[in-house]
Amino acid sequence: MQNSNQNHVDVLIIGAGAAGLMCAATAGYQGKRVLVIDHAPKAAAKIRISGGGKCNFTNLDVSPENYICRNPHFVKSALSRYPSTAFVELVDRHGLEYEERELGKLFCLNRASDLIQILRTECDWAGVEFMLNTPVSKVASIDGGYEVQIKDGSIHCNKLVVATGALSFPKLKASGFGYRLAEQFGLNVIPQAPGLVPLVFSGKWQQRFSSLSGLSMDVEVAANGRRFSEAMLFTHNGLSGPGILQASNYWQAGQPIEINLLPKQDVYAELLALKGSGKSLPKWLNQFWPKRFTQMWLELFPMESVLSNQSNESLQSYAEQLTNWQLYPEATAGYDKAEVTLGGVDTDEVSSKTFEAKKQPGLYFIGEVLDVTGQLGGYNFQWAWASGVACGLSL
Ligand SMILES: Cc1cc2nc3c(=O)[nH]c(=O)nc-3n(C[C@H](O)[C@H](O)[C@H](O)COP(=O)(O)OP(=O)(O)OC[C@H]3O[C@@H](n4cnc5c(N)ncnc54)[C@H](O)[C@@H]3O)c2cc1C
């Protein structure tokens, strides 16, 4: 910041992540003087590492049902005003190369940093100023605006936008700053939990899964009544992969997850046919599963190789075991491994049109700091873009 009004901006955004950058460019284009502050040395660290370095930046099919929020209607306005097609138009204008993968997920073709460059370019064009490596020590409401203390003094702004994200991946400078700030101004914050996170097992399951570490299978996973048909991956201490991450958003401690290991088969009918044919069960299972899993399964749930002597009832209960395998995770793998955080600033406290706090004029919350969590598939970034634009237009 280098002019006579050094200490004053129209809009101060704390957090140079996905939502903060999008909001900054949008507000800058409205003619506002915008400053973005971040305590990290580089902007948008999560974009850089997301999607295995390719960033699943949106989805072709976004609807409010893809989000978890205490008020399921809250996301509708911003998502409909800034749909995924709008973000695709933006990246098309910049010539980003991207690809569509399964279930409508859009990924950068080359590097996620290409996307960061687009957002930084938009911010440059919109005249946005940045102060990185700048921790905020204190925020006070003053003179109809806000005073934000940083290491070299303070900055006054008319409008303060909190885009500090959530608790996942603390090694990327994630923090609970936004929650504390909300509480400072008397806003309710919904308790947090890790989301889109691997599930950890103990005892015999941990040993079994560890021995299969690296194996992936196409399954259907359900938790708390929500069902996902995606891959499951065995890890050294439990289960991961897209299906498990999706289910983790809905799983509650003490509850089981239910796994259909043969989601594309009519299992009972096929077991009956197998019984009549005299063919072997392991061979049949090996058509669908890696051999190492078949071996483990048959050790855990023994069944004669040839089913001819089995009653139909016993085949029915075996089919049930195969299609509704109930497992009790010990815990989630925690914030170190979670892609997102459930809970956050209560959306009842914030306008769904402008993202301004209802009780605290001039204070805004956008992105993941809010109690809005997307499913896996580009929905979390789409929320960051949509809430950032809606807020930026209102500043
Ligand atoms: C490993 C991983 C992979 C992911 N992959 C995907 C994916 O492919 N698709 C998808 O849709 N979502 C993905 N996500 C989720 C997605 O990254 C987040 O939902 C999204 O980044 C949230 O945007 P945000 O701007 O709200 O917060 P963030 O992007 O987290 O940005 C918050 C910013 O605030 C800064 N900040 C925090 N505290 C302070 C403070 N006290 N002072 C100053 N600055 C502060 C941080 O340094 C950061 O720059 C992934 C997340 C992780 C961890």
Side-chain angles (χ1 to χ4, degrees), residues 259-309:
I259 303 174
N260 181 347
L261 291 162
L262 293 165
K264 295 191 178 128
Q265 266 53 53
D266 181 346
V267 176
Y268 178 51
E270 293 199 33
L271 288 179
L272 283 176
L274 203 62
K275 174 180 169 178
S277 72
K279 287 185 185 151
S280 114
L281 177 67
K283 212 167 160 193
W284 181 73
L285 290 173
N286 280 337
Q287 292 177 89
F288 313 111
W289 295 347
K291 283 197 177 112
R292 281 198 289 153
F293 183 78
T294 306
Q295 195 184 342
M296 183 200 87
W297 180 262
L298 290 171
E299 279 165 26
L300 288 168
F301 303 103
M303 174 56 89
E304 281 173 33
S305 195
V306 175
L307 303 178
S308 38
N309 293 328

Side-chain angles (χ1 to χ4, degrees), residues 22 25-26 29 57 82 84-98 114-115 118-119 121-122 125 389:
M22 202 64 187
T26 309
Y29 284 132
F57 56 82
Y82 194 80
S84 57
T85 47
F87 193 74
V88 170
E89 273 169 32
L90 171 72
V91 299
D92 277 343
R93 278 204 299 281
H94 286 264
L96 180 79
E97 290 189 280
Y98 57 89
D114 296 342
L115 187 58
I118 290 175
L119 296 169
T121 301
E122 287 285 324
W125 289 346
V389 168

Side-chain angles (χ1 to χ4, degrees), residues 15 17-19 38-39 49-51 56 163-165 175 177 339 368 378 380-381:
D38 201 299
H39 63 177
I49 56 132
S50 63
N56 175 197
T164 46
S175 82
F177 176 89
E339 289 198 7
E368 204 185 321
N380 285 292
F381 280 129

Side-chain angles (χ1 to χ4, degrees), residues 115-191:
L115 187 58
I116 301 176
Q117 190 49 52
I118 290 175
L119 296 169
R120 289 301 298 258
T121 301
E122 287 285 324
C123 285
D124 284 349
W125 289 346
V128 174
E129 297 165 74
F130 282 88
M131 290 177 82
L132 300 178
N133 251 327
T134 303
V136 171
S137 51
K138 201 171 151 203
V139 174
S141 163
I142 196 163
D143 297 338
Y146 292 88
E147 190 167 72
V148 173
Q149 297 279 343
I150 53 171
K151 56 181 184 295
D152 301 325
S154 64
I155 298 162
H156 188 267
C157 60
N158 300 336
K159 312 258 169 107
L160 179 64
V161 180
V162 183
T164 46
L167 299 172
S168 310
F169 265 59
K171 68 180 174 199
L172 295 183
K173 304 284 255 177
S175 82
F177 176 89
Y179 310 139
R180 292 194 294 277
L181 195 66
E183 282 166 350
Q184 176 189 330
F185 288 102
L187 310 186
N188 186 39
V189 177
I190 309 279

